[in-house]
């Protein structure tokens, strides 16, 4: 499973390309599609367009099909703007030069836009949808569950991991119970699967 985006490769930390000082949606979609093909050739089973640019999912699907990767699935990311990304962006040196907010990520004040965008991605051929941050997307998850049969996959981002699996310096361990409670709620709300940095830790917790 991979992510398709440009923010880690542009000198601006933005998810899109520009031409003559303006966002170039066509070049952005074409570059992300080319990236998806490279990832598929490297063995990816699922590619995840994450720039939140409409039209990119269909462009990725077409490029995959034309290059013999019809069995590779697409899982576009449906992303709310959130402070939970700040630590990850700093680590990856992908803080956008234009400011803290990426232009295509959805304001938390606009759940209707998130639902509409998710359905648009499905209409472009998405096999499934990734929703992030997981803990702040539950209302959209439940609404989309009623409107599409596409599997819905909340992504519990790194900011959730650090806050809901606090590290205890006394024991040298993290307490995963709050995170596990979140995931049980996401499953109740209709999540097909949950993507998390804590997968191995939670598997050990549940098995033990």
């Amino acid at each position: 499973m991979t992510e398709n985006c440009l923010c880690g490769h542009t000198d601006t930390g933005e998810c899109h390309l520009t031409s003559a000082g303006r966002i170039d949606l066509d070049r952005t979609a074409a570059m992300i599609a080319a990236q998806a093909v490279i990832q598929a050739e490297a063995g990816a089973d699922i590619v995840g367009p994450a720039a939140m640019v409409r039209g990119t999912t269909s462009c990725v699907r077409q490029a995959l099909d034309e290059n013999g990767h019809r069995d590779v699935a697409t899982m576009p990311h449906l992303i709310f703007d959130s402070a939970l990304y700040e630590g990850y962006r700093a680590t990856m040196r992908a803080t956008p030069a234009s400011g803290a907010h990426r232009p295509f990520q959805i304001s938390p004040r606009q759940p209707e836009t998130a639902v509409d965008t998710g359905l648009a991605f499905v209409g472009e051929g998405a096999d499934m949808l990734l929703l992030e941050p997981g803990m702040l997307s539950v209302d959209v998850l439940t609404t989309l569950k009623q409107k599409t049969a596409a599997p819905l996959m909340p992504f519990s981002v790194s900011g959730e991991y650090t806050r809901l699996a606090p590290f205890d310096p006394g024991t040298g361990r993290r307490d995963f119970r709050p995170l596990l409670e979140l995931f049980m709620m996401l499953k109740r709300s209709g999540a097909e699967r949950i993507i998390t940095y804590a997968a191995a830790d939670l598997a050990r917790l549940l098995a033990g």
Side-chain angles (χ1 to χ4, degrees):
M1 182 184 296
T2 62
E3 179 181 272
N4 302 129
C5 202
L6 305 180
C7 58
H9 306 281
T10 58
D11 56 6
T12 61
E14 300 288 0
C15 300
H16 56 264
L17 300 177
T18 59
S19 296
R22 295 186 177 184
I23 296 175
D24 190 327
L25 299 180
D26 290 339
R27 284 184 64 223
T28 297
M31 184 62 70
I32 290 175
Q35 186 186 68
V37 170
I38 292 171
Q39 293 175 345
E41 290 174 349
D45 298 305
I46 302 171
V47 296
M52 285 290 293
V53 174
R54 293 197 186 194
T56 298
T57 299
S58 58
C59 192
V60 166
R61 181 72 270 161
Q62 180 179 352
L64 290 172
D65 291 349
E66 290 176 349
N67 286 273
H69 299 294
R70 294 182 181 275
D71 58 336
V72 174
T74 59
M75 183 175 63
H77 296 200
L78 184 61
I79 306 174
F80 276 114
D81 182 30
S82 175
L84 291 171
Y85 307 136
E86 290 177 358
Y88 173 84
R89 289 175 178 173
T91 300
M92 298 299 293
R93 299 180 182 177
T95 301
S98 60
H101 306 291
R102 299 195 186 280
F104 297 102
Q105 291 184 356
I106 299 168
S107 167
R109 299 183 181 90
Q110 299 176 323
E112 299 85 358
T113 300
V115 171
D116 182 66
T117 301
L119 294 175
F121 289 160
V122 173
E124 290 180 33
D127 296 291
M128 59 199 82
L129 294 174
L130 180 148
L131 289 71
E132 63 173 283
M135 66 185 292
L136 303 181
S137 304
V138 181
D139 56 333
V140 174
L141 169 65
T142 56
T143 302
L144 283 172
K145 188 71 175 179
Q146 299 171 4
K147 295 178 178 290
T148 179
L152 305 175
M153 315 281 209
F155 173 31
S156 180
V157 301
S158 58
E160 296 174 57
Y161 179 87
T162 56
R163 288 166 173 80
L164 294 181
F167 181 75
D168 183 348
T171 64
R173 298 179 180 178
R174 289 185 179 275
D175 181 1
F176 290 100
R177 292 174 300 172
L179 200 61
L180 183 58
E181 291 176 13
L182 166 65
F183 293 168
M184 286 190 287
M185 183 268 293
L186 291 174
K187 287 294 291 182
R188 292 197 308 268
S189 300
E192 179 76 15
R193 290 182 175 86
I194 299 164
I195 300 171
T196 171
Y197 294 94
D201 296 292
L202 290 173
R204 284 190 289 268
L205 177 65
L206 292 170

